[in-house]
Amino acid sequence: MTPNAGAVDLAPGVRCDGAHCFNDNDEAYVVHGTVACAVLTTPAWTDMTLPPPPPIQTVEHQPWAIVIDAHSDRHIVAGCAGGADMGANLSGAYPQSRPPTGSAGG
């Protein structure tokens, strides 16, 4: 997995350079994003007189999150729960003690 190429500041004191993230804060932070996964799905097969339809490749965007302890760094490995990893993106970071509420700007 290679999240966003280049260095990215996700929160004050939290930055990632490719798949390597650094936390310079006094508390743990959760870094999160999504990974695109190529998944094969089988269409419904209702007419048994015909051969089964071939699988169809679809793309699913699955969330991932990893905790980076205070004053430490960590290599991010986000994978797919089924399917082939097509690349991941970083979405942000928040203090582990204060998870986002789901409201705008969280």
Side-chain angles (χ1 to χ4, degrees):
M1 176 196 94
T2 308
N4 308 342
V8 177
D9 291 323
L10 298 175
V14 180
R15 70 187 185 292
C16 294
D17 189 0
H20 200 91
C21 294
F22 304 86
N23 178 10
D24 296 327
N25 293 294
D26 291 333
E27 69 175 300
Y29 265 69
V30 178
V31 173
H32 60 94
T34 58
V35 60
C37 304
V39 178
L40 291 178
T41 57
T42 304
W45 181 33
T46 56
D47 188 348
M48 299 299 174
T49 63
L50 299 174
I56 298 171
Q57 181 173 324
T58 59
V59 176
E60 292 180 358
H61 295 275
Q62 300 176 3
W64 61 267
I66 190 167
V67 175
I68 303 175
D69 292 327
H71 301 287
S72 65
D73 61 289
R74 190 156 181 199
H75 186 79
I76 296 173
V77 179
C80 295
D85 183 346
M86 296 172 51
N89 288 310
L90 297 165
S91 298
Y94 57 87
Q96 187 179 24
S97 64
R98 295 185 307 255
T101 61
S103 61

